[in-house]
Amino acid sequence: MSLRLPADLLEAEDQAQQALLEALAEPKQRRWSVQWRFEGLRILPVALRFAQALADQELTPLLVWPDAGAAALARRDGGALASANASLQDVLAGRMDQRQGDLLIAVTPQPSDYDTLEQVCERWTGPVVMLNGRLEDAAVGIGSVARARRRGFVATWQVAYWLEPLAGAALLGRYPACWTLFRQDADGYREVTRFDQRPDADQIDSALHDGAAALGQQIGAVDRFLKDLSG
């Protein structure tokens, strides 16, 4: 599958929606994540637009927020989806009706929500999507707790969509395609390479530097060829 970077946030939302719809057709996987890794992103309007787009596809999303305050703001701004917003505690306490097949969208859960979200997911019978969530805590990044979490609940999630701007580059992951790394050149972004799995920082750095070196070698060869012609 050929991947291209979206031109703006709205196109990124549309790409994520299409990727998620394909992912939800996979019967063996029930937990998916969508990540727009933009610094300073206001997630509330994005989450509401995303949920409405899914509702337009005849899905029945329930937006679940980390706390009651965030859920109240979402209900205030939710329009037709106002009643489809709740907190994690609302779902855990059974205050929201569970309908078989409903799509639960967990918005920005953090490491402090790990245990609560895990309990909610264990009780939820339909698919779950995590928007801009972060379940791993850097403070417990090593040791038995971190290893247990990676082998357990964290390992049950699969990426449906991931878009991350980097320094002079961008990383795009979209189900069911592989991960694509782009480098920012003077005339736009160019594909550098692809990965079967999400690359780490060292892999990204190596690919960008190797790609830049290869481009420099190509330019040098052209320059030498032109000089030979002119000589």
Side-chain angles (χ1 to χ4, degrees), residues 36-55:
W36 300 286
R37 308 277 287 194
F38 302 129
E39 185 175 352
L41 177 66
R42 293 181 62 247
I43 194 62
L44 175 57
V46 174
L48 291 174
R49 287 195 301 266
F50 193 69
Q52 184 59 60
L54 294 172

mmCIF file of all heavy atoms in Angstrom, residues 36-55:
data_model
loop_
_atom_site.group_PDB
_atom_site.id
_atom_site.type_symbol
_atom_site.label_atom_id
_atom_site.label_comp_id
_atom_site.label_asym_id
_atom_site.label_seq_id
_atom_site.Cartn_x
_atom_site.Cartn_y
_atom_site.Cartn_z
ATOM 1 N N TRP A 36 -2.222 10.840 17.060
ATOM 2 C CA TRP A 36 -1.771 12.039 16.343
ATOM 3 C C TRP A 36 -0.797 12.726 17.287
ATOM 4 O O TRP A 36 -1.211 13.404 18.237
ATOM 5 C CB TRP A 36 -2.934 12.970 16.030
ATOM 6 C CG TRP A 36 -4.007 12.369 15.174
ATOM 7 C CD1 TRP A 36 -3.954 12.118 13.843
ATOM 8 C CD2 TRP A 36 -5.328 11.973 15.609
ATOM 9 N NE1 TRP A 36 -5.151 11.585 13.414
ATOM 10 C CE2 TRP A 36 -6.005 11.484 14.465
ATOM 11 C CE3 TRP A 36 -5.989 11.987 16.838
ATOM 12 C CZ2 TRP A 36 -7.316 11.007 14.523
ATOM 13 C CZ3 TRP A 36 -7.283 11.517 16.900
ATOM 14 C CH2 TRP A 36 -7.939 11.043 15.752
ATOM 15 N N ARG A 37 0.485 12.593 17.051
ATOM 16 C CA ARG A 37 1.494 13.018 18.020
ATOM 17 C C ARG A 37 1.917 14.462 17.772
ATOM 18 O O ARG A 37 3.096 14.762 17.608
ATOM 19 C CB ARG A 37 2.705 12.094 17.937
ATOM 20 C CG ARG A 37 2.377 10.621 18.028
ATOM 21 C CD ARG A 37 2.215 10.148 19.439
ATOM 22 N NE ARG A 37 3.499 10.071 20.101
ATOM 23 C CZ ARG A 37 3.699 9.448 21.254
ATOM 24 N NH1 ARG A 37 2.692 8.859 21.850
ATOM 25 N NH2 ARG A 37 4.882 9.419 21.804
ATOM 26 N N PHE A 38 0.934 15.362 17.733
ATOM 27 C CA PHE A 38 1.219 16.771 17.510
ATOM 28 C C PHE A 38 1.322 17.496 18.850
ATOM 29 O O PHE A 38 0.422 17.388 19.694
ATOM 30 C CB PHE A 38 0.109 17.437 16.676
ATOM 31 C CG PHE A 38 -0.110 16.794 15.339
ATOM 32 C CD1 PHE A 38 -1.383 16.410 14.947
ATOM 33 C CD2 PHE A 38 0.948 16.559 14.486
ATOM 34 C CE1 PHE A 38 -1.598 15.822 13.713
ATOM 35 C CE2 PHE A 38 0.743 15.973 13.252
ATOM 36 C CZ PHE A 38 -0.532 15.605 12.866
ATOM 37 N N GLU A 39 2.382 18.241 19.030
ATOM 38 C CA GLU A 39 2.549 18.991 20.271
ATOM 39 C C GLU A 39 1.480 20.070 20.375
ATOM 40 O O GLU A 39 1.216 20.809 19.427
ATOM 41 C CB GLU A 39 3.940 19.640 20.300
ATOM 42 C CG GLU A 39 4.254 20.339 21.605
ATOM 43 C CD GLU A 39 5.672 20.876 21.651
ATOM 44 O OE1 GLU A 39 6.456 20.573 20.722
ATOM 45 O OE2 GLU A 39 5.986 21.587 22.611
ATOM 46 N N GLY A 40 0.848 20.149 21.525
ATOM 47 C CA GLY A 40 -0.172 21.171 21.759
ATOM 48 C C GLY A 40 -1.517 20.874 21.127
ATOM 49 O O GLY A 40 -2.383 21.767 21.079
ATOM 50 N N LEU A 41 -1.741 19.646 20.653
ATOM 51 C CA LEU A 41 -3.009 19.310 20.014
ATOM 52 C C LEU A 41 -4.157 19.373 21.016
ATOM 53 O O LEU A 41 -4.090 18.785 22.090
ATOM 54 C CB LEU A 41 -2.926 17.899 19.417
ATOM 55 C CG LEU A 41 -4.207 17.365 18.755
ATOM 56 C CD1 LEU A 41 -4.549 18.175 17.516
ATOM 57 C CD2 LEU A 41 -4.050 15.888 18.412
ATOM 58 N N ARG A 42 -5.214 20.101 20.667
ATOM 59 C CA ARG A 42 -6.432 20.144 21.491
ATOM 60 C C ARG A 42 -7.278 18.934 21.114
ATOM 61 O O ARG A 42 -7.920 18.907 20.072
ATOM 62 C CB ARG A 42 -7.188 21.442 21.270
ATOM 63 C CG ARG A 42 -6.461 22.682 21.765
ATOM 64 C CD ARG A 42 -7.286 23.952 21.548
ATOM 65 N NE ARG A 42 -8.539 23.907 22.288
ATOM 66 C CZ ARG A 42 -9.740 23.851 21.716
ATOM 67 N NH1 ARG A 42 -9.857 23.810 20.391
ATOM 68 N NH2 ARG A 42 -10.843 23.813 22.456
ATOM 69 N N ILE A 43 -7.290 17.939 21.980
ATOM 70 C CA ILE A 43 -7.880 16.660 21.629
ATOM 71 C C ILE A 43 -9.405 16.686 21.651
ATOM 72 O O ILE A 43 -10.047 15.888 20.935
ATOM 73 C CB ILE A 43 -7.351 15.551 22.570
ATOM 74 C CG1 ILE A 43 -7.678 14.156 22.002
ATOM 75 C CG2 ILE A 43 -7.906 15.735 23.972
ATOM 76 C CD1 ILE A 43 -7.042 13.858 20.685
ATOM 77 N N LEU A 44 -10.024 17.584 22.418
ATOM 78 C CA LEU A 44 -11.482 17.568 22.544
ATOM 79 C C LEU A 44 -12.184 17.714 21.193
ATOM 80 O O LEU A 44 -12.989 16.850 20.824
ATOM 81 C CB LEU A 44 -11.949 18.643 23.527
ATOM 82 C CG LEU A 44 -13.467 18.824 23.668
ATOM 83 C CD1 LEU A 44 -14.138 17.512 24.073
ATOM 84 C CD2 LEU A 44 -13.787 19.916 24.686
ATOM 85 N N PRO A 45 -11.940 18.781 20.419
ATOM 86 C CA PRO A 45 -12.636 18.882 19.124
ATOM 87 C C PRO A 45 -12.260 17.764 18.167
ATOM 88 O O PRO A 45 -13.102 17.323 17.373
ATOM 89 C CB PRO A 45 -12.210 20.260 18.596
ATOM 90 C CG PRO A 45 -10.950 20.591 19.326
ATOM 91 C CD PRO A 45 -11.086 19.961 20.674
ATOM 92 N N VAL A 46 -11.018 17.310 18.234
ATOM 93 C CA VAL A 46 -10.586 16.220 17.353
ATOM 94 C C VAL A 46 -11.353 14.939 17.690
ATOM 95 O O VAL A 46 -11.862 14.252 16.793
ATOM 96 C CB VAL A 46 -9.066 15.983 17.479
ATOM 97 C CG1 VAL A 46 -8.641 14.767 16.671
ATOM 98 C CG2 VAL A 46 -8.303 17.210 17.018
ATOM 99 N N ALA A 47 -11.440 14.617 18.968
ATOM 100 C CA ALA A 47 -12.144 13.404 19.386
ATOM 101 C C ALA A 47 -13.624 13.458 19.016
ATOM 102 O O ALA A 47 -14.201 12.455 18.578
ATOM 103 C CB ALA A 47 -11.983 13.204 20.886
ATOM 104 N N LEU A 48 -14.242 14.625 19.177
ATOM 105 C CA LEU A 48 -15.660 14.753 18.836
ATOM 106 C C LEU A 48 -15.881 14.601 17.334
ATOM 107 O O LEU A 48 -16.836 13.940 16.905
ATOM 108 C CB LEU A 48 -16.196 16.099 19.326
ATOM 109 C CG LEU A 48 -16.291 16.263 20.844
ATOM 110 C CD1 LEU A 48 -16.697 17.687 21.208
ATOM 111 C CD2 LEU A 48 -17.275 15.253 21.446
ATOM 112 N N ARG A 49 -15.022 15.199 16.528
ATOM 113 C CA ARG A 49 -15.148 15.040 15.071
ATOM 114 C C ARG A 49 -14.936 13.588 14.666
ATOM 115 O O ARG A 49 -15.643 13.057 13.798
ATOM 116 C CB ARG A 49 -14.138 15.935 14.334
ATOM 117 C CG ARG A 49 -14.459 17.406 14.348
ATOM 118 C CD ARG A 49 -13.649 18.174 13.313
ATOM 119 N NE ARG A 49 -12.203 18.058 13.510
ATOM 120 C CZ ARG A 49 -11.471 18.939 14.189
ATOM 121 N NH1 ARG A 49 -12.051 19.981 14.762
ATOM 122 N NH2 ARG A 49 -10.161 18.784 14.307
ATOM 123 N N PHE A 50 -13.955 12.971 15.286
ATOM 124 C CA PHE A 50 -13.638 11.581 14.964
ATOM 125 C C PHE A 50 -14.813 10.667 15.311
ATOM 126 O O PHE A 50 -15.197 9.793 14.519
ATOM 127 C CB PHE A 50 -12.388 11.165 15.736
ATOM 128 C CG PHE A 50 -11.777 9.873 15.281
ATOM 129 C CD1 PHE A 50 -11.159 9.780 14.048
ATOM 130 C CD2 PHE A 50 -11.794 8.752 16.102
ATOM 131 C CE1 PHE A 50 -10.577 8.579 13.627
ATOM 132 C CE2 PHE A 50 -11.213 7.560 15.691
ATOM 133 C CZ PHE A 50 -10.607 7.478 14.448
ATOM 134 N N ALA A 51 -15.393 10.871 16.481
ATOM 135 C CA ALA A 51 -16.536 10.057 16.893
ATOM 136 C C ALA A 51 -17.738 10.282 15.982
ATOM 137 O O ALA A 51 -18.458 9.340 15.631
ATOM 138 C CB ALA A 51 -16.898 10.366 18.343
ATOM 139 N N GLN A 52 -17.964 11.533 15.584
ATOM 140 C CA GLN A 52 -19.086 11.821 14.692
ATOM 141 C C GLN A 52 -18.891 11.162 13.340
ATOM 142 O O GLN A 52 -19.840 10.625 12.745
ATOM 143 C CB GLN A 52 -19.230 13.333 14.515
ATOM 144 C CG GLN A 52 -20.455 13.735 13.673
ATOM 145 C CD GLN A 52 -21.747 13.248 14.278
ATOM 146 O OE1 GLN A 52 -22.097 13.608 15.399
ATOM 147 N NE2 GLN A 52 -22.485 12.389 13.552
ATOM 148 N N ALA A 53 -17.647 11.175 12.826
ATOM 149 C CA ALA A 53 -17.372 10.521 11.542
ATOM 150 C C ALA A 53 -17.648 9.024 11.629
ATOM 151 O O ALA A 53 -18.172 8.417 10.685
ATOM 152 C CB ALA A 53 -15.923 10.775 11.125
ATOM 153 N N LEU A 54 -17.323 8.412 12.754
ATOM 154 C CA LEU A 54 -17.600 6.989 12.943
ATOM 155 C C LEU A 54 -19.100 6.741 13.100
ATOM 156 O O LEU A 54 -19.623 5.743 12.603
ATOM 157 C CB LEU A 54 -16.838 6.462 14.156
ATOM 158 C CG LEU A 54 -15.317 6.459 14.017
ATOM 159 C CD1 LEU A 54 -14.661 6.111 15.351
ATOM 160 C CD2 LEU A 54 -14.871 5.470 12.934
ATOM 161 N N ALA A 55 -19.783 7.663 13.774
ATOM 162 C CA ALA A 55 -21.239 7.537 13.903
ATOM 163 C C ALA A 55 -21.909 7.628 12.533
ATOM 164 O O ALA A 55 -22.910 6.950 12.277
ATOM 165 C CB ALA A 55 -21.778 8.616 14.835
#
